[in-house]
Amino acid sequence: MSVQERKERERASRERLIVATARELAEQQGWDAVTTRRLAERIEYSQPVLYSHFRGKREIIGAVALQGAVEMAEAVRAATAAADGPRERVAALAGAYLDFAARNPAVYDAIFQLDGGLAYAQEDTPEPLKDAFAALLESLGEVAGDGVHPGLFTETFWAALHGLATLTRAGRLPPEDTEPRVKLLVDRLAVV
């Protein structure tokens, strides 16, 4: 292994450590607790080393969002692959999405609530975000109904899921009614 390859591996390893530590700190104490000073202390590197990877907290949030988008897409695809039939896939998708949001609130916020400097629904949208949307579209597109654009239907269904996730987490909706809400959403919107 060349010196250059070793340095690149070490840099990539440090970057993964920064992102993992930011994510862990955000999940434990919220995003307000994630500062470059605190991250530098936790990973035992100086702040200039941190800044050599990320220009600031905004870019760190963006890195966590991209990692989270990959994980969410994997969770949705795994859940829908195990389901039999279009309606069952949509219900599995909804369950996987809401479960991901509940289990990873700081990551969910990084993806959908916070400014990570990422472009959404544009030409330059990063691939992990496009793929996360594609994971939703794969199952939702088949139940959009005649004359309904699959992408528009996916955006609308996703918005409903986001609302359920956000309102439940904020204590505005009782969590014990999540399953009937999902059933109502699937029954009323998914055309099969």
Side-chain angles (χ1 to χ4, degrees):
M1 174 186 318
S2 73
V3 172
Q4 182 65 27
E5 289 172 328
R6 181 182 54 79
K7 285 184 178 184
E8 287 174 10
R9 276 192 11 206
E10 288 172 356
R11 181 172 176 72
S13 177
R14 259 194 323 271
E15 194 165 299
R16 284 190 303 274
L17 177 62
I18 294 166
V19 171
T21 304
R23 182 177 175 162
E24 179 183 310
L25 187 57
E27 291 293 2
Q28 291 171 352
Q29 300 176 30
W31 279 105
D32 287 342
V34 179
T35 64
T36 53
R37 177 178 301 220
R38 208 177 249 171
L39 284 174
E41 289 171 3
R42 283 211 175 184
I43 64 173
E44 297 178 345
Y45 283 101
S46 67
Q47 282 184 290
V49 169
L50 205 91
Y51 283 116
S52 74
H53 289 274
F54 300 98
R55 286 184 291 210
K57 183 176 175 177
R58 181 178 185 217
E59 284 189 4
I60 294 169
I61 290 169
V64 170
L66 293 176
Q67 184 183 71
V70 168
E71 293 171 11
M72 187 180 76
E74 289 171 353
V76 165
R77 285 189 174 111
T80 57
D84 187 31
R87 185 175 296 279
E88 291 76 14
R89 277 191 289 281
V90 172
L93 175 150
Y97 182 96
L98 294 172
D99 184 56
F100 179 86
R103 285 185 298 105
N104 305 284
V107 173
Y108 189 82
D109 285 349
I111 300 169
F112 298 116
Q113 303 285 94
L114 302 174
D115 179 10
L118 304 173
Y120 286 79
Q122 298 175 22
E123 188 76 22
D124 59 341
T125 298
E127 204 51 47
L129 298 176
K130 288 180 182 179
D131 188 55
F133 184 78
L136 300 175
L137 180 63
E138 288 162 11
S139 292
L140 293 171
E142 67 181 327
V143 297
D146 293 336
V148 177
H149 188 279
L152 184 61
F153 179 78
T154 299
E155 290 170 349
T156 303
F157 198 94
W158 167 34
L161 289 177
H162 177 70
L164 289 175
T166 303
L167 292 169
T168 301
R169 189 167 127 209
R172 303 298 195 267
L173 295 175
E176 62 271 10
D177 292 333
T178 297
E179 198 171 310
R181 284 188 199 98
V182 168
K183 183 178 179 343
L184 178 64
L185 188 61
V186 171
D187 289 348
R188 297 295 179 172
L189 291 182
V191 178
V192 180

